[in-house]
Amino acid sequence: KSSMPTPKVLPHDPLRRLAKNVWMVRGSNSFPLRRNMIVIRLSSGELIIHSAVAMDVPGLNALTALGTPTMAIVPSRGHQKDAPFYQAHFPDLKVVCPAGARSAVEPNVRVSGTVEDVIPTLGWVLHKVPGIKTDEFVYELPLEGGGKMLMANDVFGGPNSFEDSFLGRLLAPLAVPGNQFGIARIFRWRMIDDLAAVRHFAAELADVRDLRVVTGSHGDPLT
């Protein structure tokens, strides 16, 4: 049984299409940091959810109109709170997480496997983020119709990560400098042990050919 309280559905935006068979839902927190759920539809019609955001009934109806949620990726121990919501709504949903996060995730949700074992079977490429204090990956996947997508968690953030409120504007300096896509100050200060390693990692990802979409779990994506 999960040790976490029942996830609360907080305000969220509707599904937004980023590319063919790729959508994003921008959700909220109890504090003014926005968070993103990414939805990938496979050729089978199955849906893969990355960094779950609990949705209201109209949102869930829109989601299931796209396909059947079959897998949820918990990208890190800090992004697991709404995974139990989806496993409760979709009992056959498989949950996967990085091996290093499994001990923190498993008490709260049934974990079917690790991303290291499961994700490569989809034909996706795993890029383990170096130089940080937690296990986290960037997922490289092909887009239907051509091109590739990079799906990150906290290592990269986008513009408008914080809500446009008094507290959100007060916290905005913790996001990416210049309100751009990059490494958020708060992640750099709290989670990075080796900034040079992370910068080198980012430069290598920039060499991925035919890149069309880059997402993070906070802020606007690059398309």
Side-chain angles (χ1 to χ4, degrees):
K1 185 176 179 180
S2 171
S3 61
M4 297 186 78
T6 302
K8 180 181 178 182
V9 178
L10 297 172
H12 61 83
D13 291 351
L15 285 155
R16 169 189 169 189
R17 185 179 181 270
L18 300 182
K20 190 173 183 179
N21 291 325
V22 180
W23 296 266
M24 184 184 90
V25 174
R26 186 170 72 173
S28 56
N29 273 300
S30 53
F31 53 96
L33 176 65
R34 296 177 171 126
R35 57 198 177 107
N36 301 327
M37 175 174 79
I38 305 300
V39 180
I40 310 290
R41 182 167 61 194
L42 304 180
S43 57
S44 61
E46 297 173 307
L47 302 181
I48 297 180
I49 293 167
H50 178 270
S51 195
V53 170
M55 291 199 291
D56 56 24
V57 172
L60 287 176
N61 289 340
L63 179 70
T64 54
L66 300 176
T68 304
T70 59
M71 185 186 299
I73 300 170
V74 174
S76 69
R77 63 181 60 204
H79 280 257
Q80 61 168 305
K81 71 175 185 176
D82 284 348
F85 173 91
Y86 282 91
Q87 204 163 58
H89 279 79
F90 306 100
D92 295 330
L93 184 79
K94 296 178 179 178
V95 174
V96 298
C97 66
R102 187 165 188 163
S103 62
V105 175
E106 211 152 29
N108 306 311
V109 68
R110 297 187 312 277
V111 176
S112 299
T114 66
V115 297
E116 291 94 326
D117 291 336
V118 175
I119 295 303
T121 68
L122 301 173
W124 299 7
V125 178
L126 283 176
H127 299 277
K128 192 172 194 302
V129 184
I132 63 174
K133 299 175 183 178
T134 187
D135 270 19
E136 185 170 310
F137 292 87
V138 174
Y139 304 83
E140 177 187 335
L141 53 143
L143 293 171
E144 188 172 339
K148 293 181 180 177
M149 171 179 171
L150 292 177
M151 183 168 65
N153 183 42
D154 283 335
V155 65
F156 303 128
N160 306 311
S161 293
F162 288 93
E163 295 174 7
D164 187 17
S165 64
F166 173 76
L167 185 56
R169 290 189 291 272
L170 198 65
L171 295 173
L174 297 175
V176 181
N179 198 33
Q180 302 180 72
F181 197 96
I183 300 172
R185 285 190 177 100
I186 189 169
F187 187 81
R188 176 176 173 174
W189 295 337
R190 293 188 60 203
M191 301 305 296
I192 293 181
D193 285 325
D194 187 342
L195 183 59
V198 178
R199 284 176 168 160
H200 180 71
F201 175 75
E204 288 184 328
L205 291 179
D207 287 335
V208 173
R209 298 191 64 180
D210 208 11
L211 194 54
R212 307 287 181 87
V213 180
V214 186
T215 65
S217 288
H218 304 285
D220 298 339
L222 286 177
T223 58

